[in-house]
Amino acid sequence: MGNSGSSNGKNNNCKNIIAEKKIWITTVLLVFNPGVLMLDHVHFQYNGMLLGWLLLSIGCLVRGCMSSSSSNGMISYEIIGAALYASLLSMKHLYLTLAPLYLIYLFRRVCVEEYIIPASDNSDGKQQKLQQRKLRLAV
């Protein structure tokens, strides 16, 4: 009978070791699962790259706004920003929500030309300048 008690103790000990190994193997398989690795590393790095493209596109628009509007044969920063946004949009459609902002900004910046008309002197003797916009047609 004493023999059966020690074999039962060994059985429980073996079951505990096997259970610990199963837990360890399950943990290793979950942590090093290729799907989880691709989701965590590839997916989030891809989103980080796309966010960088978005910031680069916005940076081009801001630089184009700050630069002079004289064209010297070079492609304007607004066009580069629009091309970057279009490529960004083709890679992830989530950025479609920004399309109305880009459309309105680029339409106003590229297609509408501002000019100043000097107005006649008013009663105070100060000269007012009236700013008007006209549509610039691309030919």
Side-chain angles (χ1 to χ4, degrees):
M1 290 250 178
N3 223 0
S4 69
S6 70
S7 70
N8 194 13
K10 284 184 180 181
N11 238 358
N12 284 339
N13 196 15
C14 288
K15 286 181 182 179
N16 287 341
I17 291 173
I18 291 173
E20 288 177 9
K21 283 186 179 183
K22 282 183 180 180
I23 291 172
W24 187 82
I25 289 172
T26 305
T27 304
V28 168
L29 288 176
L30 285 175
V31 169
F32 294 110
N33 184 351
V36 173
L37 287 176
M38 288 185 350
L39 177 70
D40 283 345
H41 298 291
V42 176
H43 177 72
F44 292 120
Q45 286 180 2
Y46 179 72
N47 283 339
M49 179 197 71
L50 293 180
L51 183 61
W53 279 34
L54 177 66
L55 293 176
L56 188 62
S57 171
I58 292 171
C60 285
L61 294 179
V62 169
R63 184 164 182 173
C65 180
M66 294 176 144
S67 68
S68 63
S69 60
S70 63
S71 92
N72 51 4
M74 296 178 60
I75 298 176
S76 69
Y77 283 105
E78 284 93 1
I79 303 300
I80 294 171
L84 282 171
Y85 177 71
S87 63
L88 172 72
L89 195 57
S90 70
M91 287 187 259
K92 188 150 187 150
H93 295 99
L94 178 70
Y95 293 106
L96 188 61
T97 57
L98 296 175
L101 299 173
Y102 272 82
L103 177 72
I104 291 169
Y105 175 79
L106 288 172
F107 180 75
R108 184 165 182 226
R109 180 79 179 143
V110 176
C111 297
V112 175
E113 186 175 314
E114 294 181 0
Y115 58 96
I116 296 175
I117 301 173
S120 62
D121 289 338
N122 61 6
S123 61
D124 294 339
K126 296 178 183 175
Q127 190 168 22
Q128 291 180 331
K129 292 188 177 182
L130 179 63
Q131 189 176 23
Q132 293 185 353
R133 294 180 177 94
K134 69 176 182 177
L135 186 63
R136 190 183 327 171
L137 297 176
V139 180

